[in-house]
Amino acid sequence: MPELPEVETVRRGLLTLLPGHTIKRATHDNPKSFPNAPHDVEQFLVGAKIINVRRRAKVLMIDLNTKYTLVVHLKMTGQIVYRGKLTFGAGHPNDSLIGRLPDRSTRVTLELDKDAQLFFNDQRKFGWMRLLPTIEVPNIDFMKKVGPEPLEDAFTAKEFIQRLQRRKSTTIKAAILDQTVLAGVGNIYADESLWGAKIHPATRVKDVPENKLKNLFTEIRTVMNLSIEKGGSTDKNYVNAEGGRGSYLTFANVFRKEGQPCNRHPDALVEKIKVAGRGTHICPKCQIVLTLKV
DNA sequence: CACTTGACCTGTCCGC
DNA sequence: TGCGGACAGGTCAAGT
């Protein structure tokens, strides 16, 4: 569920809430969700002070003053939710969501000082939270192979197109979902950016004209920036660091809009198809598969 | 190497 | 209501 804009929204929330807190205790209900040895947890997590919260691709990093970092991947249904003493009071708008935590999807609970808690919830147990030496984080397999950050100024359309060439026979949707090509695009922003660039998701990379690839690069940035501004996309599971919802899907053009008129062609209805093994949303009028003759 | 498919889990929704 | 199957926003391993 969470893609770059959702993870970035969580990061920004946690950054205002966590630094300065000390971790008093950690409990978990599932070794796969939190695989660290109890010895390391006692030595480097319990008693540690949180000093920073960073993000790379869809991965969150909570830095501790013990030179260790809590690395978190939310995968499909993960949530990181903070509950402080002040936000947990009668009448707070998020009480209904965070008031009843922990619940049966809570995998890890961190007890913080000042009567606060940090919950890692994950219905499907695909996500994980790992304690690693801060200096080792860039060396884990995922970090070594993940591609550039799409919102960094240093990442250019030219480099985007070059990196796409490694996947020239696959579909353009599979290529932008490939985290080694660029970081952070998931199913929602793949569909939204391809609609924006008027490219059919099943088009082979090598059949997409270069000017459309340039447009796609711009669209990826546009939809991600808009989504961050709207606090991300909440469909079912995603919530921000305080249990609140994101509103991007209100502004989405095709994702989960099957049967509704296309915003560019009111006479055409958005269709749901399958591309790269994923549910895929298109306007059949402005997104046509191009096949160049070889 | 590039590409596709299934596996990892739990929950929900849809058709019979 | 109950049951079976398909599906859900991400990655990885194993297959061709």
Side-chain angles (χ1 to χ4, degrees):
Chain A
M1 139 197 238
E3 307 178 29
L4 188 151
E6 288 73 33
V7 180
E8 177 61 17
T9 301
V10 173
R11 184 193 73 81
R12 292 180 183 189
L14 293 178
L15 192 59
T16 70
L17 298 164
L18 289 182
H21 268 298
T22 297
I23 297 166
K24 298 171 73 175
R25 209 158 77 89
T27 54
H28 68 87
D29 82 336
N30 177 25
K32 281 188 176 170
S33 301
F34 191 52
N36 288 88
H39 171 78
D40 289 344
V41 172
E42 283 304 314
Q43 193 165 0
F44 301 110
L45 185 66
V46 174
K49 184 183 276 192
I50 297 169
I51 56 177
N52 198 9
V53 186
R54 297 177 291 138
R55 178 191 61 75
R56 172 79 172 99
K58 302 174 191 172
V59 174
L60 270 178
M61 294 164 281
I62 301 172
D63 293 322
L64 309 173
N65 68 345
T66 52
K67 298 190 174 168
Y68 270 65
T69 295
L70 270 176
V71 184
V72 187
H73 201 308
L74 301 173
K75 293 288 180 83
M76 304 276 259
T77 55
Q79 307 173 328
I80 294 281
V81 180
Y82 173 91
R83 183 171 68 199
K85 196 177 182 180
L86 293 176
T87 59
F88 183 41
H92 188 280
N94 291 332
D95 270 2
S96 57
L97 277 168
I98 66 173
R100 54 179 123 88
L101 293 175
D103 64 17
R104 66 179 158 169
S105 75
T106 300
R107 304 302 165 207
V108 184
T109 301
L110 300 183
E111 294 286 344
L112 310 176
D113 62 349
K114 302 171 202 161
D115 291 320
Q117 295 93 36
L118 190 69
F119 299 100
F120 172 36
N121 305 323
D122 185 21
Q123 180 186 98
R124 288 170 74 178
K125 301 183 182 175
F126 290 165
W128 45 262
M129 172 180 267
R130 271 198 289 170
L131 185 64
L132 289 171
T134 305
I135 200 169
E136 293 296 330
V137 175
N139 298 327
I140 65 175
D141 288 348
F142 179 87
M143 292 297 187
K144 278 197 291 193
K145 64 186 188 186
V146 72
E149 287 290 321
L151 301 182
E152 289 280 319
D153 289 342
F155 185 41
T156 61
K158 188 179 168 196
E159 187 184 355
F160 171 69
I161 292 167
Q162 273 174 8
R163 299 181 72 87
L164 280 174
Q165 298 313 312
R166 291 193 285 122
R167 305 293 312 269
K168 56 184 189 297
S169 296
T170 196
T171 60
I172 187 67
K173 176 159 179 177
I176 60 173
L177 287 172
D178 181 344
Q179 300 297 295
T180 72
V181 170
L182 80 166
V185 175
N187 211 32
I188 297 174
Y189 305 105
D191 285 1
E192 289 299 310
S193 58
L194 287 164
W195 180 87
K198 304 180 189 173
I199 301 169
H200 192 288
T203 314
R204 304 279 146 188
V205 174
K206 61 175 185 279
D207 295 332
V208 183
E210 188 158 326
N211 68 318
K212 286 217 172 192
L213 291 179
K214 265 190 184 171
N215 292 342
L216 179 58
F217 177 76
T218 306
E219 286 298 326
I220 288 171
R221 289 185 154 179
T222 303
V223 296
M224 284 193 171
N225 279 322
L226 175 62
S227 184
I228 291 170
E229 192 185 310
K230 302 300 176 189
S233 300
T234 296
D235 184 28
K236 286 199 177 81
N237 291 280
Y238 168 73
V239 293
N240 67 25
E242 295 180 89
R245 301 165 61 84
S247 67
Y248 173 77
L249 287 185
T250 309
F251 303 86
N253 288 295
V254 285
F255 191 83
R256 293 281 153 86
K257 302 284 182 188
E258 54 268 38
Q260 297 180 225
C262 169
N263 286 335
R264 278 193 296 249
H265 298 105
D267 54 326
L269 301 182
V270 174
E271 291 177 2
K272 186 168 181 185
I273 60 177
K274 187 162 268 202
V275 178
R278 316 293 302 275
T280 298
H281 309 77
I282 58 158
C283 165
K285 193 155 175 182
C286 44
Q287 293 170 276
I288 307 291
V289 183
L290 297 176
T291 309
L292 298 182
K293 263 191 94 170
V294 180

